[in-house]
Structures are given as structure tokens and as C-alpha cells.
Amino acid sequence: MRIVFLLSAWLLSFGAVAAPGDVATLDRSTWPEQLSNPTLFDVASRAEILMFARVLLASESLDEASLAQRLGLRTINLDSVNNLRQRLWQRLLTNYNFAQQSCDQDASFCFLVEDMATLREQAAKFQVSDDSYYIKWAEPSRLFHAQYLDEQLRKAALFPQTSSEVDRFGDYERNGESMHDRLFLLTFDSAANAAPDNTAWVTEYLRKANMTGTFFVLGKDIQARLSERSVASLQATYSTQCIGVQGWEFRSHSHWQDWQDSVRRSAELVKSKLPENYVPLFRPPDGQRRPDAEGFFRSQGLQVALWDIDAQDGAGKLKANQSAQRVLTLMLLWRHGVINFNIKQDGVKTAMPWLITQTAPSGIGWEDCQDGFR
């Protein structure tokens, strides 16, 4: 009876979490332990995986009309939503299997999970007791994962009519799902922006840390920079780092008549002026691109570079510390992937160093930008 009561309460709470469009963030100070070694990273990872699985399971109780209302939409693509749910469950099972390999060192949040059925069973009865060491984390985490799930379900509900990073159109499109466990790639949108631009600061920080990132630029911004300064100066700014393109202008490439020219011109410019840094990657602004573009991208030798972990650090969305804590929570949940920062925002100079410092002893790795998306 107690389990039934708890399940009902969780289902009700799932329906009253946040208004559509709210951006998920979690105060990591609610978690009582530092990620001071790989085992403690796994403990926190297991906790976030189970909490997200709990919320994902609860969402399946909503019928199509209720889900549309919850997401603030009139109609939804239910096939796309169900496809997303299936992929999320598979990632959760894979990640929990990785995370439970250290259960012999710390048994916190270790439950019998052998397959999808037992993962769903554990998700259904997952709870944190009132006297638990982790109780201060439990409710904030539930709220975070309910909001984050809403973000993903809404994108799926609109896909493919409104394309986004929530799904791929083919193997020529890459995200971080196939990366190794505990491995992450840093990427930055809107690099080389005229003003404000934090590219020089970030590239210098990464070089000092012996790290690399992939910086996605607009062709018009690179052209503007080259009219102000020498090629050698720009090459020095991006030394040891990677550069991909976002097109000539920051606009949707899904309905723009000249989208092919936008991609081609920007790629040719960067490749000719910054050949040591250029990587054949196109990141669609806001993730919006055409579903029938495979032939074009293959003919250009380009891959579409999506992402898994979004800092949501666009202007006015989240403060720097909120973005950083959001990213860390999603790193614990997904355990590998492509992180996306917006380099126009000053918050990146706070969020990125905090993230790197927090995870330094936790046993994760940072992918070299030359190897990213391969």
C-alpha cells in the first residue's frame, strides 16, 4: 500500500512541476559529498540516473492530450516522443551499468539492475527516506529532472517539423552518445563574435590547462575579424584549438533558401585561413537544419555536430553558477557527451573553470577536439 501511495504522489507531483519553458538547474550544494574520486562520481551518477528514471517513468502515465497540455503545445508528435523515451531508457540502463561497477567500494544507490525490466522496477519504487544523508538533494533533484525531461519531451514533440539536437537525421550527424564512458568534449557556439567575445580568454585558459575545445564560428564574423587583424593574429588566438562553422549568419538553416551557400562559404573561408584549426563540422544554429541534407553534407565532406549537454547560458536564461551546476548534473546523468557553451556570454569565464575544477579528481576525461565526433 505504501508503494502504491508513493507512486500516486509522484505521479501527481509530476503534473505540477514547472511552467513550459522553464530551464532546469540544480543547486549542487544540496548534494552532501564532493566528487573527490571516481567512486564518489559514480555514487552521484547512480543517484541522478535513478531520479531521472523515476520521473521518466511517471511521465508515461500521461495520455497524449495531457502531455501536450503539460508541454504547452496544441499537438505533439507522439511517435517522436516515444522514440525519445526509448532512447533515454536505453542510455539510462547503459549508464547505470557503468555506474554500478564501483558498488563494491560504496553501495549508496546500488540496487539490483540487470536489464530494462529491473531498471524500471527500481525506478518505480525509488525514494530517499527522510533520515537519509541525501535528503536535502532529493526534492531539488526531482524538480530538476522533471524540468529537464520537459525540455527534451517538448523538443521531441515538435520534431522533425522543428528540428533540434534532440534527434539525428542520419549517421552523418553526430552527438556524444557514442563516446566512451566518462569522456566529454567541450564545444563553444558563437565564437569570433564581434562583441562581446570571450574566445581569446577561453582559448588561453584551455591551453594553460592542456585542454582543447571546438569553437563554432560564423563566416561573417571571421571575415570581419580578418578585416581588423592579420591572419597570423587569428591563428594565434586559436592555437591548438579546433574550429567548426555555424554557417555565414546565425539563422535557422532549415527554411533558408541559401543555406547551402551559407555552409559552403563559411567552411571554405575557415579552411583557407585557419587550416591548422579547421575541422569539417557544421553546427546548425539552434540545432535547426533540413532533414534531407545528407547528400549535401557528404559532398562537402562535412558532418553535422550536435550536442548532448547544453549549459542553457544564452542571455537571460541562467546565471553562470546555475549553468555550471546544470552541466555538472547532466554529466553525472549521461556520463559522457558533448557539452555546449555560448562563448558570447561572460558567464563562460566562471562556469567552465568551476566545472573543470569540480570534476578534476573524479576520474573523467576531456576528449581532444581533433578526435571529437569521429
mmCIF file of all heavy atoms in Angstrom, residues 175-196:
data_model
loop_
_atom_site.group_PDB
_atom_site.id
_atom_site.type_symbol
_atom_site.label_atom_id
_atom_site.label_comp_id
_atom_site.label_asym_id
_atom_site.label_seq_id
_atom_site.Cartn_x
_atom_site.Cartn_y
_atom_site.Cartn_z
ATOM 1 N N ASN A 175 26.448 13.292 -32.244
ATOM 2 C CA ASN A 175 26.411 13.911 -30.922
ATOM 3 C C ASN A 175 27.377 13.112 -30.051
ATOM 4 O O ASN A 175 28.269 12.457 -30.565
ATOM 5 C CB ASN A 175 24.989 13.955 -30.351
ATOM 6 C CG ASN A 175 24.313 12.588 -30.388
ATOM 7 O OD1 ASN A 175 24.963 11.549 -30.359
ATOM 8 N ND2 ASN A 175 22.991 12.586 -30.437
ATOM 9 N N GLY A 176 27.214 13.158 -28.763
ATOM 10 C CA GLY A 176 28.167 12.470 -27.904
ATOM 11 C C GLY A 176 27.732 11.106 -27.424
ATOM 12 O O GLY A 176 28.398 10.510 -26.569
ATOM 13 N N GLU A 177 26.631 10.568 -27.956
ATOM 14 C CA GLU A 177 26.085 9.313 -27.427
ATOM 15 C C GLU A 177 27.044 8.134 -27.591
ATOM 16 O O GLU A 177 27.009 7.189 -26.800
ATOM 17 C CB GLU A 177 24.742 9.000 -28.097
ATOM 18 C CG GLU A 177 23.611 9.900 -27.648
ATOM 19 C CD GLU A 177 22.255 9.426 -28.139
ATOM 20 O OE1 GLU A 177 22.121 8.225 -28.433
ATOM 21 O OE2 GLU A 177 21.338 10.257 -28.226
ATOM 22 N N SER A 178 27.886 8.153 -28.614
ATOM 23 C CA SER A 178 28.770 7.006 -28.864
ATOM 24 C C SER A 178 30.132 7.159 -28.197
ATOM 25 O O SER A 178 31.002 6.298 -28.365
ATOM 26 C CB SER A 178 28.961 6.826 -30.375
ATOM 27 O OG SER A 178 29.575 7.974 -30.944
ATOM 28 N N MET A 179 30.331 8.224 -27.429
ATOM 29 C CA MET A 179 31.610 8.421 -26.758
ATOM 30 C C MET A 179 31.793 7.416 -25.620
ATOM 31 O O MET A 179 30.827 6.845 -25.116
ATOM 32 C CB MET A 179 31.713 9.857 -26.233
ATOM 33 C CG MET A 179 31.758 10.901 -27.329
ATOM 34 S SD MET A 179 31.712 12.614 -26.706
ATOM 35 C CE MET A 179 33.316 12.709 -25.906
ATOM 36 N N HIS A 180 33.040 7.225 -25.208
ATOM 37 C CA HIS A 180 33.330 6.305 -24.119
ATOM 38 C C HIS A 180 32.832 6.872 -22.782
ATOM 39 O O HIS A 180 32.704 8.087 -22.604
ATOM 40 C CB HIS A 180 34.832 6.041 -24.027
ATOM 41 C CG HIS A 180 35.379 5.288 -25.198
ATOM 42 N ND1 HIS A 180 34.945 4.020 -25.537
ATOM 43 C CD2 HIS A 180 36.320 5.616 -26.116
ATOM 44 C CE1 HIS A 180 35.590 3.596 -26.608
ATOM 45 N NE2 HIS A 180 36.431 4.551 -26.985
ATOM 46 N N ASP A 181 32.578 5.968 -21.852
ATOM 47 C CA ASP A 181 32.138 6.369 -20.515
ATOM 48 C C ASP A 181 33.155 7.324 -19.881
ATOM 49 O O ASP A 181 34.368 7.130 -20.015
ATOM 50 C CB ASP A 181 31.985 5.125 -19.637
ATOM 51 C CG ASP A 181 31.404 5.439 -18.274
ATOM 52 O OD1 ASP A 181 30.412 6.168 -18.211
ATOM 53 O OD2 ASP A 181 31.964 4.945 -17.271
ATOM 54 N N ARG A 182 32.656 8.345 -19.218
ATOM 55 C CA ARG A 182 33.450 9.358 -18.502
ATOM 56 C C ARG A 182 34.243 10.287 -19.434
ATOM 57 O O ARG A 182 35.140 10.989 -18.985
ATOM 58 C CB ARG A 182 34.424 8.718 -17.505
ATOM 59 C CG ARG A 182 33.784 7.934 -16.372
ATOM 60 C CD ARG A 182 34.868 7.324 -15.486
ATOM 61 N NE ARG A 182 34.328 6.491 -14.428
ATOM 62 C CZ ARG A 182 34.026 6.911 -13.196
ATOM 63 N NH1 ARG A 182 34.223 8.176 -12.868
ATOM 64 N NH2 ARG A 182 33.546 6.074 -12.300
ATOM 65 N N LEU A 183 33.901 10.313 -20.694
ATOM 66 C CA LEU A 183 34.640 11.150 -21.640
ATOM 67 C C LEU A 183 33.727 12.254 -22.167
ATOM 68 O O LEU A 183 32.597 11.981 -22.607
ATOM 69 C CB LEU A 183 35.163 10.304 -22.800
ATOM 70 C CG LEU A 183 36.245 10.929 -23.681
ATOM 71 C CD1 LEU A 183 37.485 11.287 -22.873
ATOM 72 C CD2 LEU A 183 36.612 9.971 -24.816
ATOM 73 N N PHE A 184 34.218 13.491 -22.133
ATOM 74 C CA PHE A 184 33.417 14.653 -22.532
ATOM 75 C C PHE A 184 34.205 15.529 -23.501
ATOM 76 O O PHE A 184 35.435 15.593 -23.452
ATOM 77 C CB PHE A 184 33.014 15.471 -21.299
ATOM 78 C CG PHE A 184 32.172 14.706 -20.318
ATOM 79 C CD1 PHE A 184 32.763 13.982 -19.293
ATOM 80 C CD2 PHE A 184 30.796 14.691 -20.428
ATOM 81 C CE1 PHE A 184 31.999 13.258 -18.391
ATOM 82 C CE2 PHE A 184 30.008 13.971 -19.522
ATOM 83 C CZ PHE A 184 30.622 13.252 -18.512
ATOM 84 N N LEU A 185 33.466 16.223 -24.361
ATOM 85 C CA LEU A 185 34.059 17.156 -25.317
ATOM 86 C C LEU A 185 33.491 18.551 -25.069
ATOM 87 O O LEU A 185 32.269 18.723 -24.986
ATOM 88 C CB LEU A 185 33.744 16.720 -26.748
ATOM 89 C CG LEU A 185 34.193 17.669 -27.863
ATOM 90 C CD1 LEU A 185 35.713 17.694 -27.968
ATOM 91 C CD2 LEU A 185 33.577 17.257 -29.210
ATOM 92 N N LEU A 186 34.377 19.539 -24.952
ATOM 93 C CA LEU A 186 33.951 20.924 -24.790
ATOM 94 C C LEU A 186 33.738 21.572 -26.160
ATOM 95 O O LEU A 186 34.621 21.502 -27.028
ATOM 96 C CB LEU A 186 35.008 21.728 -24.023
ATOM 97 C CG LEU A 186 35.113 21.469 -22.523
ATOM 98 C CD1 LEU A 186 36.344 22.173 -21.962
ATOM 99 C CD2 LEU A 186 33.857 21.944 -21.793
ATOM 100 N N THR A 187 32.580 22.195 -26.356
ATOM 101 C CA THR A 187 32.325 22.955 -27.582
ATOM 102 C C THR A 187 31.744 24.312 -27.217
ATOM 103 O O THR A 187 31.128 24.481 -26.154
ATOM 104 C CB THR A 187 31.362 22.215 -28.533
ATOM 105 O OG1 THR A 187 30.043 22.167 -27.957
ATOM 106 C CG2 THR A 187 31.837 20.799 -28.811
ATOM 107 N N PHE A 188 31.948 25.266 -28.129
ATOM 108 C CA PHE A 188 31.554 26.655 -27.865
ATOM 109 C C PHE A 188 30.885 27.240 -29.103
ATOM 110 O O PHE A 188 31.463 27.240 -30.190
ATOM 111 C CB PHE A 188 32.785 27.490 -27.492
ATOM 112 C CG PHE A 188 33.559 26.936 -26.324
ATOM 113 C CD1 PHE A 188 34.582 26.013 -26.526
ATOM 114 C CD2 PHE A 188 33.245 27.314 -25.025
ATOM 115 C CE1 PHE A 188 35.293 25.484 -25.460
ATOM 116 C CE2 PHE A 188 33.943 26.789 -23.943
ATOM 117 C CZ PHE A 188 34.971 25.878 -24.166
ATOM 118 N N ASP A 189 29.662 27.731 -28.930
ATOM 119 C CA ASP A 189 28.945 28.413 -30.014
ATOM 120 C C ASP A 189 29.297 29.889 -30.044
ATOM 121 O O ASP A 189 29.708 30.468 -29.035
ATOM 122 C CB ASP A 189 27.436 28.259 -29.823
ATOM 123 C CG ASP A 189 26.945 26.889 -30.237
ATOM 124 O OD1 ASP A 189 27.763 26.069 -30.689
ATOM 125 O OD2 ASP A 189 25.726 26.636 -30.111
ATOM 126 N N SER A 190 29.071 30.504 -31.209
ATOM 127 C CA SER A 190 29.188 31.954 -31.390
ATOM 128 C C SER A 190 30.594 32.478 -31.120
ATOM 129 O O SER A 190 30.778 33.603 -30.645
ATOM 130 C CB SER A 190 28.176 32.705 -30.518
ATOM 131 O OG SER A 190 26.867 32.288 -30.805
ATOM 132 N N ALA A 191 31.624 31.672 -31.410
ATOM 133 C CA ALA A 191 32.996 32.142 -31.279
ATOM 134 C C ALA A 191 33.295 33.163 -32.379
ATOM 135 O O ALA A 191 32.650 33.161 -33.426
ATOM 136 C CB ALA A 191 33.964 30.967 -31.371
ATOM 137 N N ALA A 192 34.266 34.034 -32.122
ATOM 138 C CA ALA A 192 34.672 35.105 -33.050
ATOM 139 C C ALA A 192 33.608 36.178 -33.197
ATOM 140 O O ALA A 192 33.678 37.002 -34.098
ATOM 141 C CB ALA A 192 35.052 34.543 -34.422
ATOM 142 N N ASN A 193 32.601 36.156 -32.328
ATOM 143 C CA ASN A 193 31.601 37.223 -32.355
ATOM 144 C C ASN A 193 32.298 38.571 -32.135
ATOM 145 O O ASN A 193 33.270 38.677 -31.401
ATOM 146 C CB ASN A 193 30.576 36.976 -31.241
ATOM 147 C CG ASN A 193 29.461 37.992 -31.234
ATOM 148 O OD1 ASN A 193 28.710 38.083 -32.189
ATOM 149 N ND2 ASN A 193 29.357 38.743 -30.156
ATOM 150 N N ALA A 194 31.798 39.614 -32.800
ATOM 151 C CA ALA A 194 32.462 40.920 -32.723
ATOM 152 C C ALA A 194 32.546 41.432 -31.287
ATOM 153 O O ALA A 194 33.616 41.756 -30.785
ATOM 154 C CB ALA A 194 31.735 41.925 -33.610
ATOM 155 N N ALA A 195 31.422 41.492 -30.610
ATOM 156 C CA ALA A 195 31.402 41.950 -29.214
ATOM 157 C C ALA A 195 30.040 41.604 -28.616
ATOM 158 O O ALA A 195 29.025 41.835 -29.258
ATOM 159 C CB ALA A 195 31.629 43.451 -29.131
ATOM 160 N N PRO A 196 30.013 41.057 -27.417
ATOM 161 C CA PRO A 196 31.179 40.629 -26.632
ATOM 162 C C PRO A 196 31.723 39.302 -27.152
ATOM 163 O O PRO A 196 30.991 38.538 -27.779
ATOM 164 C CB PRO A 196 30.594 40.458 -25.232
ATOM 165 C CG PRO A 196 29.173 40.028 -25.484
ATOM 166 C CD PRO A 196 28.739 40.788 -26.720
#
